Amino acid sequence: MKNALLVDDSPTILLSISGVLTKAGYTVKTAAAGAEALSMLAAGLKPSVIITDLNMPNMDGIELIRQARAAPGCRFLPMLMLTTESRTDRRAEAKAAGATGWLVKPVQPAELVAVLDRVIPA
Amino acid sequence: MPASSTKAIPRAAALREILPLTDVLRAQLGAVTDRAEEVAQQFAKHMFDVDAQAGLLAARVQSLGGAANDQAAAVQTLKARSDELVGALEASLADRDQIIRGLVSQVRDQNRFIAEIRTIARNTKIVALNATIEAARAGTDGAGFGVVATEVRRLANGADKTAGALAEELAQLGGRLAEALDDSRGRGAHATNEAIGQFGEAQAGLVQQVSDAGGRVERVVAEVSDVSDVLGAITTEGLGLLQFQDISRQATEQVQQALARIAEHAERIAVRLEGTEEGDDVPTLDIGGLEASYVMDEQRVIHAAAVGGQPMSTASAPTIELF
């Protein structure tokens, strides 16, 4: 069973994207902040993929990915940015921090699912 | 105090009227954003409900289709059993005909024994006649013998008569059996075959009706399943569209921040007018800083169009990029 950890400070995005992924057959866990997501990983959550927003209070998505990469079992875990941000310098930062890919909102549901199919090992 | 300075204080006060106005506008925008977020979440929940109901409807119709298939299978089983019974009935009728034919044959065989009895009776009568002649020749001594010969002849006549009656009875019995056989082959067979045919037609009609109904149910199940899939796809697209609420929220928040900048700018100008702070006579509003704070290309395009310049481009970065 594929499962995703979705991180965003927007409750609407959490509902929207978790709904799309659930209908695509994913089990979805959500976190409203980077620290909450890291706590879930520390507690033993083993997602197939992490999808995170960039601009969030206290900890942005790039820092979340940087810290999550160091968590046990997360070294090769696919981690995607899902953000309204389109600046290339921020993409470069995310890539350097260990992000697997960058998706600009709004993303088409079918495209999101197709990306997940590509990055999650069979 | 110079004239310009006497006018500066009321001008600064007038300028500060912008401050509560920007506060009101920011609050209004915040309320719109909050309301939009609330509605978006309610909308998402409605979409989930629609999707769940569509799935439930499809499952129930699928169950109905399963029941229809079970019914069709039961009718097919019933038809097979009926076919077996009709076959057994036809075999039974054929056996009955065979038995009647055997009886007719046996009855006709009885004529052979009757013929023998009549032959014996005729010979007995001849013997009795000869005995009567011999008794007459013997005179008084043969009188008793003549009585016996007369009795023998009468018995032979009786046997002959009885054999004739028996032959007639057997002939009638054989005729009736043959007639019954012909009847079972003719009218009876026709009536039986007609009844079996009507039963078969009624049964085939029933099977066809159940089959047709099953076909219609299958089509409805397929159509409902298709509609359910379409509703599921619409739900997914609808959920995807909710991302625009987050996008508009971020754009609105930046407009709120811009209003705060306008308020700060107005306050700085008011301070300059009052002469309570050293610095440039007219501080500049950093509109370039506003443009740099945008996160979406669309914001930059709108900004550039409004100020008549070129957008601060982020090149042609794809919306989806895997590293």
Side-chain angles (χ1 to χ4, degrees), chain A residues 8-13 15-17 19-20 23 55 80 82 84-88 91 94-95 99-109 111 115 118-119, chain B residues 37 40-41 44-45 48 51 232-233 235-237 239-247 249-250 292 294-297 300 314-315 317-323:
Chain A
D8 202 303
D9 60 324
S10 163
T12 304
I13 289 295
L15 266 179
S16 164
I17 301 301
V20 168
K23 285 181 64 58
N55 298 309
L80 298 169
L82 178 59
T84 52
E85 179 66 71
S86 55
R87 278 165 33 199
T88 50
R91 292 190 191 208
K95 184 178 179 181
T100 308
W102 185 280
L103 295 87
V104 177
K105 294 174 188 171
V107 63
Q108 291 290 320
E111 289 180 338
V115 166
R118 283 184 61 186
V119 301
Chain B
E37 176 120 37
Q41 289 181 43
K45 286 167 184 164
F48 289 139
D51 193 50
T235 303
T236 300
E237 290 300 315
L239 290 170
L241 289 173
L242 288 178
Q243 294 172 84
F244 284 102
Q245 188 279 325
D246 184 49
I247 293 167
R249 176 183 62 81
Q250 292 188 41
Y294 294 144
V295 295
M296 291 173 267
D297 280 343
R300 297 184 186 100
T314 57
T319 55
I320 296 176
E321 183 179 7
L322 296 180
F323 303 135

Side-chain angles (χ1 to χ4, degrees), chain B residues 71-246:
Chain B
Q71 189 181 33
V75 169
Q76 286 293 351
T77 303
L78 181 64
K79 179 182 181 301
R81 181 67 183 138
S82 296
D83 287 345
E84 282 177 19
L85 290 173
V86 167
L89 176 62
E90 287 174 339
S92 172
L93 290 174
D95 287 347
R96 189 197 65 173
D97 287 354
Q98 187 64 34
I99 290 167
I100 292 175
R101 274 195 296 274
L103 286 173
V104 170
S105 176
Q106 284 179 8
V107 166
R108 285 175 179 161
D109 280 351
Q110 302 312 306
N111 288 329
R112 180 164 53 87
F113 299 112
I114 290 168
E116 286 179 13
I117 291 170
R118 298 189 88 169
T119 300
I120 292 168
R122 188 168 56 250
N123 292 337
T124 303
K125 280 190 278 186
I126 292 169
V127 170
L129 179 61
N130 290 335
T132 301
I133 294 168
E134 290 302 322
R137 280 184 187 161
T140 307
D141 294 338
F145 190 63
V147 171
V148 172
T150 300
E151 284 302 315
V152 169
R153 190 170 59 248
R154 199 173 68 229
L155 284 173
N157 284 337
D160 188 38
K161 192 175 177 184
T162 300
L166 183 60
E168 192 175 331
E169 286 291 324
L170 285 173
Q172 286 179 5
L173 179 61
R176 284 200 296 276
L177 284 172
E179 196 174 285
L181 183 61
D182 290 344
D183 189 51
S184 73
R185 286 173 174 169
R187 287 196 318 267
H190 179 71
T192 303
N193 289 337
E194 192 173 9
I196 290 173
Q198 286 173 353
F199 175 73
E201 285 174 11
Q203 182 178 258
L206 176 65
V207 170
Q208 189 60 47
Q209 280 182 5
V210 171
S211 176
D212 290 347
R216 284 196 295 275
V217 169
E218 271 186 25
R219 284 194 294 279
V220 170
V221 168
E223 285 168 7
V224 170
S225 179
D226 288 346
V227 170
S228 178
D229 289 345
V230 169
L231 283 174
I234 290 171
T235 303
T236 300
E237 290 300 315
L239 290 170
L241 289 173
L242 288 178
Q243 294 172 84
F244 284 102
Q245 188 279 325
D246 184 49

